[in-house]
C-alpha cells in the first residue's frame, strides 16, 4: 500500500525533527489545512496518573482540557483502543460538546511500543463527514506520525 499524499507530506515535514510538541503542532496544522469541511483537528495526550486525556496541540476553536477515559468519543476510543468514526455526535451516548458546531467526529488512538500516547481527534460541522477511506488515511497518517515521536 502506497502512502497517501498527506502521510508523505507529514513524513517530509517531520524528518529529522525530534520535538514531540512541535511535531504534533505541525501535524495538526497539516490536517487542518489539508482536510475539507472540518472545524477542529488535534491531539489529546494520555495522562496515566489520572487515566485521562489532556488537551494537546490543535487547530480550531477552544477545546475541552481534560477528558476521562471512557467519556465522550475521545475517551471511549482511548478506553477501547479502536478508531471511532461517529456520523452524528449528538446520538453518541455521553458525547462531550466542546464545540456545539461539531456534528461528526473521528478519533484514532495513538500507541507506540505498547505505550498509550493519546488520540488524534478531528471534528466536522457536517453530519457523516468521515468515510471508511478517511479512516484508512488517518490511521496511516497516525502511523507516520508515530514514527517521528
Amino acid at each position: 500500500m502506497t502512502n497517501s499524499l498527506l502521510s508523505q507530506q507529514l513524513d517530509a515535514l517531520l524528518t529529522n525533527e525530534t520535538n514531540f510538541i512541535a511535531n504534533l503542532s505541525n501535524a495538526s496544522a497539516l490536517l487542518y489545512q489539508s482536510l475539507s469541511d472540518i472545524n477542529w483537528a488535534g491531539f489529546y495526550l494520555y495522562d496515566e496518573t489520572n487515566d485521562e486525556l489532556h488537551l494537546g496541540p490543535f487547530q480550531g476553536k477552544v477545546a475541552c482540557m481534560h477528558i476521562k477515559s471512557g467519556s465522550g468519543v475521545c475517551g471511549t476510543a482511548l478506553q477501547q483502543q479502536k478508531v471511532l468514526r461517529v456520523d452524528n455526535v449528538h446520538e453518541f451516548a455521553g458525547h462531550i460538546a466542546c464545540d456545539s458546531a461539531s456534528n461528526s467526529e473521528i478519533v484514532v488512538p495513538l500507541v507506540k511500543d505498547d505505550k498509550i500516547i493519546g488520540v488524534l481527534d478531528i471534528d466536522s460541522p457536517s453530519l457523516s463527514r468521515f468515510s471508511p477511506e478517511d479512516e484508512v488515511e488517518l490511521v496511516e497518517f497516525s502511523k507516520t506520525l508515530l514514527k517521528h515521536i
Side-chain angles (χ1 to χ4, degrees):
M1 176 186 220
T2 15
N3 282 347
S4 70
L5 179 58
L6 198 56
S7 290
Q8 290 174 29
Q9 289 173 315
L10 180 67
D11 196 42
L13 184 65
L14 302 186
T15 294
N16 297 322
E17 293 298 332
T18 57
N19 185 286
F20 177 64
I21 297 299
N23 286 349
L24 292 179
S25 297
N26 271 334
S28 64
L30 179 61
L31 286 169
Y32 196 74
Q33 292 172 354
S34 301
L35 299 178
S36 63
D37 196 25
I38 65 167
N39 59 343
W40 203 91
F43 300 93
Y44 281 94
L45 305 176
Y46 184 60
D47 175 6
E48 188 177 337
T49 308
N50 297 314
D51 192 28
E52 68 180 10
L53 293 165
H54 292 184
L55 181 63
F58 72 94
Q59 299 282 309
K61 293 182 180 179
V62 296
C64 300
M65 302 217 327
H66 304 274
I67 299 174
K68 286 285 186 195
S69 180
S71 295
V73 181
C74 288
T76 301
L78 172 75
Q79 186 178 62
Q80 296 178 1
Q81 281 301 292
K82 70 175 192 177
V83 176
L84 289 183
R85 192 167 29 92
V86 180
D87 290 333
N88 183 346
V89 294
H90 308 290
E91 295 175 352
F92 188 90
H95 170 65
I96 302 167
C98 298
D99 179 359
S100 61
S102 293
N103 288 310
S104 63
E105 184 171 6
I106 188 167
V107 179
V108 180
L110 301 172
V111 179
K112 182 173 185 172
D113 301 327
D114 296 322
K115 182 179 190 291
I116 299 170
I117 306 296
V119 299
L120 164 62
D121 179 28
I122 305 175
D123 295 353
S124 171
S126 297
L127 295 169
S128 304
R129 159 61 181 88
F130 303 103
S131 68
E133 293 78 19
D134 291 324
E135 181 176 332
V136 168
E137 183 172 34
L138 292 169
V139 166
E140 181 183 310
F141 182 90
S142 297
K143 287 179 183 174
T144 301
L145 174 65
L146 288 168
K147 287 185 349 187
H148 295 279
I149 56 177

